[in-house]
Amino acid sequence: MKTDFKFSNLCGTVYRKGNVVFTPDGNSIISPVGNRVTVFDLVNSKSETLPFENKRDIRRLALSPNGNLLLSVDELGQTLLVNFRKRTVLHYFNLKDKVRDIVFSPDGRYFAAALGRNVQVWHSPGYVREFAPFVLHRTYAAHYDDVTSVSWSPDSRFFVTAGKDMVAKVFSVDPIEGFVPATLTGHRHAVVAAWFARDMRAVYTVSADGAVCVRRFRLHGVEENLTFGEFPIVTNGSDDEESEKPRTMWFTETRHYAQQSARVHSAAFNWATNLMVLGFTNGVFGIWEMPDFNLVHTLSISRKQINTIAINPTGEWLAFGAAKLGQLLVWEWQSETYVLKQQGHFYDMSCVAYSGDGQYVATGGDDAKLKVWNALSGFCFITFSEHTSSVTAVQFTKGSQVVLSASLDGTVRAYDLVRYRNFRVFTSPTPVQFTSLAVDPSGEIVCAGCQDSFEIYVWSMQTGKLLDVLSGHEGPISALAFRPDGLSLASSSWDKSVRFWDVFDRTKVVERMEHSHEVLALAYRPDGKELCASTIDGQIHFWDVAKAAPAGSIEGRRDIAGGRSATDRQTAENSAAGKSFTALCYSADGTAVLGGGNSKYVCLYDRRSRILLRKFQVSQNQSLDGVQHKLNSRNMTEAGPRDLIDSDGIDSDSEKHVDRSLPGVRSGDKSNRVLKPEVRTRDVKFAPTGRQWAAASTEGLLIYSLDETLVFDPFELDADVTPDSIRELVRTGDYLRALVNALRLNEQHVIRSVYESVPPKDVALLARAFPAVYVERLLKFIAHVMESSQLLELHLKWVSELLTTHGSFVKTRSVALQPVLRMLQRNVVRLHQDIGSVCDKNYYALGYLLRQSKHVAEAQEEGDGDVDMHQVFADFSDDGE
């Protein structure tokens, strides 16, 4: 089994905090998710998480105007300079303070960062690695309180800042003759944002109380407004005397108020459309046209405050982020429709399950919601919110059309993924809290274990009636699993035992496997001949199911041990907490075991040799508790760890944050705490295809996939098999030998070039002569290339001919080929759905084109090149009726 799994995507979380940014083309949006960055492609409906991590949660993002450079700044000012197009980190830099805003100039030469009361302007770095790419241009210090936002002028010569001291200030990048930095006053609350107008004839400022001021620039004592940036010089007419600099001034032309009962928390302005968008603390946003402040419309999109707003360059799409609910919305204001509407679990994710074909991933969370995600695109397409308490277990049926979930509210619910409805609710005679769930392979029997009465309840999927109650355990049920053949049910409990039940014949004796400690998790091998169980002492025990005898064990206590919590009095090595596996899963081929627990690690073990193959660290985010092995004693104060004290109020709710400190106190209220969640993995699952696995962690749903693009793994390679010899075989038309040699060389780009050069009419002949030993490798390649290639006819011909010709070989190796066949099924179903959707939406257009081509052919046969379009429409209408 290959173990080179690499982090590929982050699902289940779409936005945490910070600001969101549109790409220059306006088709994608960049969102900070914890200490990672996720890019959502709004046109192709795909999401991608960039392969780097900040040290802490990301506070601000800034993208250069050409879309090449990305600045990612975390809570303490640690900055990553990223080549956005190549997805590589160029440089690490520390701004040495908390950054409230950072933005590139329109010409891309500078970027400005708001650090406390100061604003620093830096030269933009280049696109290559340098020893010191960050060069400070100048520091501007004029505010008496923290700066909240920075905005550039269209010509990149000036920028305007807004601060908590209720003023906005205008600065120039370089000294300009006739210009003096200006202070714009008149607000009674903190200024949220300020912007220049596109024509540089006005400055718009907005404060937290909803007041919007339009500022104009003119000469002192003159009624005519001037374009800011042009400073006239008056001369006396004599050559020997110096020119006089006339006095200029800013004045408030008009003052408007957004009539809302809540405060303004975020704002954005677009030069292309002159639209100002304000987000309020009650989840309402409004769009106004400037400078007349004409209301376009308002809409309530969330129950919590809107933390960030972004507008794409054309001004058509508006992006909103709500940190409290983990929401990310993209709204097209002209048609009043959603372009993107995603929301993650705003509490911990507790369980995860793959569908039978690996196309969907279902997750349950402590927010009592069940979400189903597309494994390929990373988008959530349905959310079920019928539960009233935490979802503790989730599982698909064999056909992947039904997903079941168990919850602490005492119900097990079955959902139809075709009609998207909850069609069955399973309950117990007395209220209990369900913590585990299992469905037999046929999908007819549903079992759930509870943590208070220590019983297992058995229901019928067809009728929804309770069939049986399995009693015998003396502790809470921790896990349930049906054998792959469906003959027995295995259950683990805190009473230090694993029991085997025959749910179809209760006369049989219940087998019991004793352990020395409490059992936390169990899993069956795909062939059903072996079972593994983890105990609280950190061991994984293997059992031979047929003999009911132990087959070995793994001591994983040191492997799963995590870091030190901020409140721990003992070091990570001496602490007993978190040194056990709470989730287990076999790989698709049954050769490896994956385990996760209450730590930052996920361990992959070889089943046969019982050795550790790889250890994955799910997060390096120091904003989470338990990531670091050693803590700095200087961060411990008399009020507790310094990381848990909100000294500046950035992380607290604005409506709850009231300044009760005494005059002169600068350290803040030490009783105000910041929630620091603990890093842990609640559940792990391998995909049925075997090419990826998922972990439900504190950060979200982490997906790790095999990276097979740059791996050189030859198979029966000879010295004469080279890329040049393979290309020569293709040129001579010997496609069979060329394809076999390409599979032996096992370089993906060579295999793909040979595969795509095969004429479709020759596929049937090549499939009959194709060696059986290479069938698995070719099917695996086709399943992989179907995700990105558009040669649908060629793919389907190869799959059909290979399965028809080598059917007996595939049947004898069905267990080994099961992951490949599932991946093929997933991609074929996805392509069928996509093509069906396109054809349904363009039914009349396709009919029109076919009818038009027919009339053109008939006209050419008759020698008349003119086509009567009215007749085409008439004929097509008759066919449609």
Side-chain angles (χ1 to χ4, degrees):
M1 174 185 172
K2 295 184 179 180
T3 62
D4 53 337
F5 290 94
K6 292 186 178 180
F7 173 79
S8 62
N9 205 357
L10 174 63
C11 303
T13 311
V14 294
Y15 173 76
R16 284 286 175 85
K17 56 183 174 182
N19 66 314
V20 296
V21 181
F22 273 101
T23 54
D25 59 2
N27 295 331
S28 301
I29 188 169
I30 308 172
S31 172
V33 182
N35 67 332
R36 299 180 184 270
V37 177
T38 301
V39 181
F40 295 93
D41 190 342
L42 304 178
V43 177
N44 300 317
S45 298
K46 289 185 178 181
S47 66
E48 175 193 4
T49 302
L50 304 187
F52 60 84
E53 293 184 74
N54 282 72
K55 289 186 177 181
R56 292 177 177 268
D57 284 342
I58 296 175
R59 175 73 61 190
R60 303 297 295 182
L61 293 174
L63 186 65
S64 61
N66 57 8
N68 289 335
L69 294 179
L70 175 69
L71 292 176
S72 174
V73 188
D74 66 10
E75 295 174 334
L76 299 184
Q78 297 281 346
T79 306
L80 297 184
L81 174 64
V82 181
N83 188 326
F84 181 67
R85 299 191 186 277
K86 294 187 177 181
R87 299 336 194 217
T88 56
V89 178
L90 299 178
H91 194 72
Y92 297 85
F93 187 71
N94 189 3
L95 292 174
K96 300 180 181 179
D97 201 351
K98 294 185 177 182
V99 178
R100 288 184 176 268
D101 197 10
I102 185 169
V103 60
F104 277 92
S105 61
D107 60 3
R109 295 179 55 196
Y110 303 96
F111 69 87
L115 306 171
R117 303 177 183 179
N118 303 331
V119 176
Q120 293 182 351
V121 176
W122 298 75
H123 291 276
S124 295
Y127 305 131
V128 296
R129 297 183 185 272
E130 303 176 35
F131 178 74
F134 288 89
V135 178
L136 179 63
H137 176 72
R138 189 178 175 187
T139 300
Y140 302 82
H143 283 274
Y144 293 96
D145 207 338
D146 290 338
V147 179
T148 56
S149 74
V150 181
S151 178
W152 288 86
S153 63
D155 58 4
S156 301
R157 298 194 312 168
F158 306 91
F159 62 90
V160 57
T161 63
K164 288 185 176 181
D165 54 358
M166 299 180 289
V167 300
K169 292 181 178 291
V170 181
F171 299 97
S172 65
V173 177
D174 297 309
I176 298 177
E177 185 179 1
F179 170 75
V180 177
T183 301
L184 310 180
T185 62
H187 286 287
R188 298 182 178 180
H189 290 78
V191 182
V192 176
W195 312 275
F196 284 98
R198 185 179 183 86
D199 56 2
M200 297 282 290
R201 300 182 67 88
V203 169
Y204 308 127
T205 59
V206 56
S207 61
D209 60 347
V212 178
C213 296
V214 180
R215 323 280 184 149
R216 296 290 184 179
F217 182 70
R218 64 173 55 165
L219 291 172
H220 188 74
V222 180
E223 296 296 330
E224 182 181 358
N225 297 330
L226 297 177
T227 299
F228 182 70
E230 301 175 359
F231 307 102
I233 298 178
V234 181
T235 60
N236 296 332
S238 59
D239 298 336
D240 55 347
E241 295 183 359
E242 296 182 355
S243 301
E244 297 181 1
K245 299 178 181 179
R247 294 176 58 190
T248 56
M249 59 174 290
W250 287 92
F251 77 100
T252 303
E253 183 182 57
T254 55
R255 187 187 302 270
H256 309 279
Y257 291 93
Q259 300 297 328
Q260 292 287 339
S261 58
R263 297 168 63 88
V264 176
H265 192 271
S266 54
F269 179 76
N270 182 256
W271 283 334
T273 57
N274 282 331
L275 292 180
M276 177 186 293
V277 185
L278 304 181
F280 298 89
T281 55
N282 59 356
V284 177
F285 79 89
I287 304 175
W288 286 268
E289 186 180 4
M290 300 302 291
D292 298 330
F293 203 70
N294 296 324
L295 179 63
V296 179
H297 76 249
T298 59
L299 183 68
S300 176
I301 59 173
S302 178
R303 297 170 302 184
K304 299 293 183 180
Q305 68 182 13
I306 300 174
N307 293 83
T308 181
I309 299 176
I311 309 176
N312 73 333
T314 60
E316 299 173 350
W317 292 347
L318 314 177
F320 303 94
K324 273 292 183 181
L325 299 179
Q327 287 180 328
L328 181 63
L329 311 173
V330 178
W331 173 262
E332 187 175 357
W333 64 273
Q334 293 174 334
S335 61
E336 299 186 3
T337 57
Y338 283 109
V339 179
L340 173 72
K341 187 177 183 182
Q342 292 288 305
Q343 178 180 354
H345 294 280
F346 51 88
Y347 293 129
D348 278 357
M349 188 182 297
S350 58
C351 50
V352 60
Y354 273 97
S355 61
D357 55 2
Q359 188 173 359
Y360 305 126
V361 182
T363 60
D366 291 343
D367 56 356
K369 292 183 179 180
L370 173 67
K371 292 179 176 288
V372 185
W373 308 78
N374 188 308
L376 185 61
S377 66
F379 280 89
C380 173
F381 62 90
I382 187 62
T383 300
F384 299 104
S385 56
E386 282 79 7
H387 284 293
T388 58
S389 188
S390 300
V391 179
T392 55
V394 61
Q395 190 168 350
F396 281 91
T397 57
K398 188 175 182 180
S400 302
Q401 295 184 348
V402 176
V403 60
L404 294 100
S405 61
S407 172
L408 295 180
D409 62 2
T411 63
V412 175
R413 297 178 181 268
Y415 301 94
D416 185 359
L417 293 183
V418 178
R419 299 177 178 85
Y420 300 127
R421 62 188 181 94
N422 178 206
F423 70 93
R424 194 79 74 217
V425 180
F426 307 99
T427 58
S428 58
T430 58
V432 295
Q433 293 182 320
F434 294 115
T435 56
S436 55
L437 178 67
V439 184
D440 78 322
S442 65
E444 298 295 332
I445 302 298
V446 180
C447 300
C450 59
Q451 66 178 10
D452 34 21
S453 64
F454 316 149
E455 295 173 333
I456 302 172
Y457 294 86
V458 183
W459 296 276
S460 170
M461 177 73 79
Q462 293 280 350
T463 62
K465 294 183 179 180
L466 182 66
L467 301 178
D468 202 353
V469 178
L470 309 180
S471 303
H473 278 294
E474 300 174 358
I477 310 297
S478 58
L480 294 176
F482 267 101
R483 216 164 100 179
D485 56 10
L487 297 180
S488 64
L489 171 71
S491 63
S492 63
S493 172
W494 290 9
D495 62 0
K496 306 179 183 180
S497 69
V498 173
R499 305 191 182 211
F500 295 95
W501 314 79
D502 191 333
V503 296
F504 302 102
D505 187 3
R506 291 301 309 278
T507 60
K508 292 185 178 180
V509 178
V510 178
E511 297 184 7
R512 176 170 177 166
M513 296 180 180
E514 294 291 343
H515 294 73
S516 58
H517 293 81
E518 289 84 351
V519 185
L520 303 179
L522 61 84
Y524 266 109
R525 205 170 68 187
D527 59 3
K529 297 180 180 180
E530 187 180 79
L531 178 140
C532 65
S534 65
T535 54
I536 202 171
D537 63 341
Q539 292 194 12
I540 301 177
H541 300 272
F542 294 89
W543 297 85
D544 190 328
V545 176
K547 300 178 181 179
S553 65
I554 295 176
E555 176 60 53
R557 184 179 179 86
R558 291 183 177 270
D559 300 332
I560 196 63
R564 183 178 180 181
S565 176
T567 56
D568 283 349
R569 297 183 179 273
Q570 295 177 323
T571 61
E573 291 77 10
N574 297 329
S575 176
K579 294 186 177 181
S580 58
F581 296 94
T582 58
L584 291 175
C585 179
Y586 273 94
S587 61
D589 55 4
T591 59
V593 176
L594 191 69
N598 294 328
S599 76
K600 60 179 179 179
Y601 293 117
V602 174
C603 301
L604 183 66
Y605 293 96
D606 182 71
R607 179 193 61 82
R608 188 180 302 275
S609 60
R610 314 283 197 257
I611 62 174
L612 178 67
L613 298 177
R614 283 198 64 184
K615 188 160 68 170
F616 305 91
Q617 184 172 344
V618 297
S619 179
Q620 298 179 357
N621 188 1
Q622 296 181 12
S623 296
L624 302 178
D625 212 5
V627 173
Q628 295 176 289
H629 284 277
K630 295 182 179 180
L631 302 179
N632 193 340
S633 59
R634 291 181 298 178
N635 293 330
M636 185 63 68
T637 66
E638 67 276 6
R642 185 174 297 170
D643 292 340
L644 302 183
I645 301 174
D646 186 11
S647 59
D648 56 2
I650 294 180
D651 295 313
S652 59
D653 295 339
S654 59
E655 63 267 18
K656 296 182 180 179
H657 183 69
V658 180
D659 186 11
R660 298 187 179 91
S661 60
L662 296 175
V665 176
R666 300 179 61 183
S667 60
D669 183 10
K670 293 186 180 299
S671 65
N672 192 9
R673 290 292 188 269
V674 180
L675 176 63
K676 194 173 183 180
E678 182 181 1
V679 59
R680 57 179 176 174
T681 304
R682 302 273 297 268
D683 198 6
V684 291
K685 285 292 187 299
F686 254 103
T689 59
R691 296 187 65 249
Q692 66 180 13
W693 58 269
S697 68
T698 310
E699 291 278 74
L701 183 65
L702 303 173
I703 297 180
Y704 288 78
S705 302
L706 285 174
D707 185 9
E708 299 177 346
T709 56
L710 300 177
V711 178
F712 180 65
D713 184 17
F715 181 76
E716 296 181 358
L717 186 62
D718 295 332
D720 58 343
V721 179
T722 62
D724 292 336
S725 64
I726 294 174
R727 296 189 189 98
E728 182 62 29
L729 290 173
V730 173
R731 281 194 293 269
T732 58
D734 194 350
Y735 299 109
L736 181 60
R737 286 182 59 196
L739 187 58
V740 171
N741 288 348
L743 291 172
R744 293 168 65 186
L745 187 63
N746 201 21
E747 289 190 6
Q748 297 297 316
H749 66 281
V750 177
I751 300 175
R752 184 161 184 170
S753 63
V754 176
Y755 173 80
E756 293 181 351
S757 63
V758 175
K761 60 184 179 61
D762 296 341
V763 170
L765 182 62
L766 293 177
R768 294 189 187 97
F770 197 77
V773 68
Y774 297 103
V775 169
E776 179 180 357
R777 302 176 72 86
L778 183 57
L779 287 175
K780 188 176 182 180
F781 168 78
I782 296 174
H784 177 70
V785 79
M786 284 180 70
E787 299 178 356
S788 57
S789 175
Q790 299 178 352
L791 303 176
L792 180 59
E793 181 185 4
L794 181 64
H795 302 325
L796 295 180
K797 278 192 173 183
W798 268 111
V799 173
S800 176
E801 294 296 337
L802 286 175
L803 295 181
T804 303
T805 307
H806 302 277
S808 59
F809 172 79
V810 173
K811 187 175 182 180
T812 56
R813 295 178 52 84
S814 59
V815 177
L817 290 175
Q818 190 174 12
V820 180
L821 297 177
R822 284 177 174 172
M823 187 161 51
L824 278 172
Q825 180 190 4
R826 182 192 69 180
N827 292 331
V828 170
V829 170
R830 179 182 61 83
L831 289 172
H832 178 266
Q833 293 176 350
D834 293 344
I835 295 176
S837 176
V838 171
C839 293
D840 291 341
K841 293 179 181 179
N842 299 276
Y843 171 76
Y844 292 100
L846 291 173
Y848 165 72
L849 293 175
L850 292 174
R851 179 63 63 180
Q852 186 180 13
S853 63
K854 182 179 178 181
H855 277 268
V856 170
E858 293 176 353
Q860 291 177 350
E861 290 178 358
E862 297 175 359
D864 186 7
D866 298 332
V867 179
D868 187 2
M869 300 306 299
H870 296 285
Q871 185 63 31
V872 173
F873 282 114
D875 294 344
F876 178 64
S877 301
D878 296 339
D879 294 343
E881 294 175 357

